[in-house]
Amino acid sequence: MAHAPAPAPDKPLVVLTKRTIWLIFGALMASMFLSSLDQTIVGTAMPTIVGELHGVAHQGWVITAYILAVAIGMPLYGKFGDLYGRRWPFLVAIGLFTVASAGAALADTMLALVLWRAVQGLGGGGLMILSQSIIADIVPASERGKYMGPLGALFGISAVLGPLLGGWFTEGPGWRWAFWLNVPIGVAAFAIAWFALRLPSHRSSRPVDWAGIVTMATATTGIVLITSWESLADGGYDWSDWRLSGLVVLTLGAVAAFVVAETRAAEPLLPLRLFKNRTFTLSTLIGLVLGMGMFSAMAMLPTFLQMSTGAGITESGWLMLPMMAGMMITSIGSGLAITRTGRYKAFPVVGLVVVGLSMVWLTTLSGDMSMWTFGAMIFALGAGMGLVMQVVVLAVQNAVDPHELGTATSANNFFREIGAAVGSALFTTMFTTRLTDNLQGVFGDVPGGAAESEASLTPEAVQQLPEPFRTGVIDAYAESLAPSFWYLVPLVAVGLVMALFLPVLKLSDVAGMVARGEAVNDESELPGAVPAVSGADDGGSDDGGTAPGADAGAGPRDPHRRTPDTLER
């Protein structure tokens, strides 16, 4: 097993004071917010954007380019962070994201916007992965829940706040402010990270797994393009189209080539031996299942709200706030409970039960239902998700070698992102197919039929339709969306079964950097050490405080390293 080396003997140990940890955590929160917000903020502004930039035919690429770049970037940041240290990759990620946000705000063509969105995604993928990995570096698993909880809540907040802000900017100061918003936050996060993020850098002699990188990027691109095909190509999924069938063959070939490359690489991008770890495998599969269910459920609910209530873009965002509240409460609460008790398995089990029951409840959606009832439904859904999302990441980090925290964290997030892409595509296809059939019954006698009528439907137009067409359209949306949730229930049930078999491991009380011999917990543990946040270097150093005697080798073996056979005491 190859490990990243610890600092050389003349390099300093990082001193993890409480002040250091909270300063770093502030930078991580800001960067995590930036990255997750931009996955959803553009969707509600899209009609206005494509109208101004004359890019209706290419609008799908604005979102797809970002998702694709995020997915490809995740494993790279995770692996390179393990090999070379996380300070500079994190600064690069913030810099890329901030510069690309300004570029997107200034874009005057659709091509320029798509390209800047791809650069944004390259930065955003790093912000997500490195934020979670750095927390694991500086906080032991036994204390990490109270930090991971807010990070998970922030992800949920941004998922709901993104469409709301996107709608507000579009209807107010203009869609470009959806990108300008990132610039001051990104500059502040970069400044905090520059001075607070005193993490060690390494020099690894291990060769870069170029074969793994190329095949992973090719396979990921194929998966994302296939799942986005309906929005990128006219006519939807036409399997007689040689481009689609060829893309499927290329993707399958790239997946097979990636597996072969990883078995031969000296330092694989994603070590396949990680899948021999039951906790890693089950937690990663749970993340994939949750990604498929979570993003599928969230994809169409705002559209249903706009059609059924006549709510505008911004108002439909406000109506999704109960989901955000549920996710915040349980994500933070579960993190605090895990820190207090040291036990985590019950939370994903209970969370998946709640998510499954919420999906069943959502199958009763109707056009005339009370918004209080709808709010209760999505509050329960958000509460269930909040019990699972960050807990499975914590379980993964606690179960792997401290030298592979970034790789394991990125793998878990990568599969969740792939699950989200696949799940959203499948769910949207089922919904739109059923909707077209239902609208045929509403507009069957209208000249032009359902296809023309569906294409011209907007929330405003629906509210102005005469009866019985108005009620018929709203019921068509409800009757198309509600049964679609039944397809997600078995998926969540599979996740629940996997959660039941999740090994119960004792949470480590040693932070990742301490386990690797790169840090000590506070100044009292290392007399004469210079604090990690001090004026000791010029802000460009990777090294933190100074204290001689760091291990020159691979660092000590973590005495608290988790294995699947180590049961919680």
Side-chain angles (χ1 to χ4, degrees), residues 228-315:
S228 306
W229 189 265
E230 191 170 27
S231 63
L232 299 178
D234 295 331
Y237 287 93
D238 178 8
W239 293 104
S240 64
D241 188 334
W242 68 268
R243 296 174 301 171
L244 180 57
S245 55
L247 183 59
V248 171
V249 172
L250 176 64
T251 302
L252 293 175
V255 171
F258 175 73
V259 172
V260 173
E262 297 310 274
T263 60
R264 297 180 177 180
E267 189 62 57
L269 182 68
L270 176 57
L272 299 183
R273 56 181 164 69
L274 285 176
F275 290 97
K276 295 179 181 179
N277 183 320
R278 273 208 309 151
T279 300
F280 173 84
T281 301
L282 291 174
S283 297
T284 298
L285 290 175
I286 290 169
L288 184 144
V289 166
L290 191 66
M292 294 181 72
M294 172 183 173
F295 287 95
S296 299
M298 294 178 66
M300 289 298 157
L301 287 175
T303 301
F304 166 73
L305 284 172
Q306 292 176 38
M307 291 298 183
S308 64
T309 67
I313 296 172
T314 306
E315 288 82 357

Side-chain angles (χ1 to χ4, degrees), residues 77 88-98 119-120 122-128 130 190:
Y77 282 103
W88 286 107
F90 189 77
L91 291 172
V92 167
I94 298 179
L96 281 175
F97 192 91
T98 306
V119 178
Q120 259 194 324
L122 288 177
L127 296 179
M128 285 189 205
L130 294 171
F190 188 93

Side-chain angles (χ1 to χ4, degrees), residues 165-182:
L165 284 176
W168 185 79
F169 283 131
T170 302
E171 295 173 342
W175 62 267
R176 295 180 187 274
W177 281 95
F179 299 110
W180 283 124
L181 171 70
N182 298 329

Side-chain angles (χ1 to χ4, degrees), residues 391-403:
V391 178
V392 294
V393 176
L394 173 62
V396 164
Q397 292 177 339
N398 185 62
V400 300
D401 190 286
H403 296 86

Side-chain angles (χ1 to χ4, degrees), residues 162-228:
L164 195 156
L165 284 176
W168 185 79
F169 283 131
T170 302
E171 295 173 342
W175 62 267
R176 295 180 187 274
W177 281 95
F179 299 110
W180 283 124
L181 171 70
N182 298 329
V183 176
I185 302 176
V187 170
F190 188 93
I192 295 173
W194 181 269
F195 293 104
L197 207 62
R198 305 296 194 191
L199 304 179
S201 290
H202 315 130
R203 290 185 179 180
S204 176
S205 60
R206 308 295 293 183
V208 175
D209 180 18
W210 291 111
I213 291 174
V214 171
T215 52
M216 179 277 296
T218 303
T220 303
T221 300
I223 292 171
V224 172
L225 292 183
I226 290 169
T227 55
S228 306

Side-chain angles (χ1 to χ4, degrees), residues 24-49:
I24 293 174
F25 186 63
L28 300 183
M29 289 282 284
S31 60
M32 188 80 164
F33 177 75
L34 282 175
S35 178
S36 53
L37 183 70
D38 260 62
Q39 290 199 72
T40 56
I41 196 171
V42 175
T44 48
M46 190 63 67
T48 303
I49 293 174

Side-chain angles (χ1 to χ4, degrees), residues 322-346:
M323 176 182 285
M324 180 180 74
M327 197 173 296
M328 282 183 62
I329 291 171
T330 56
S331 184
I332 295 174
S334 61
L336 293 173
I338 291 171
T339 299
R340 187 176 66 251
T341 65
R343 298 176 181 274
Y344 61 86
K345 179 175 177 177

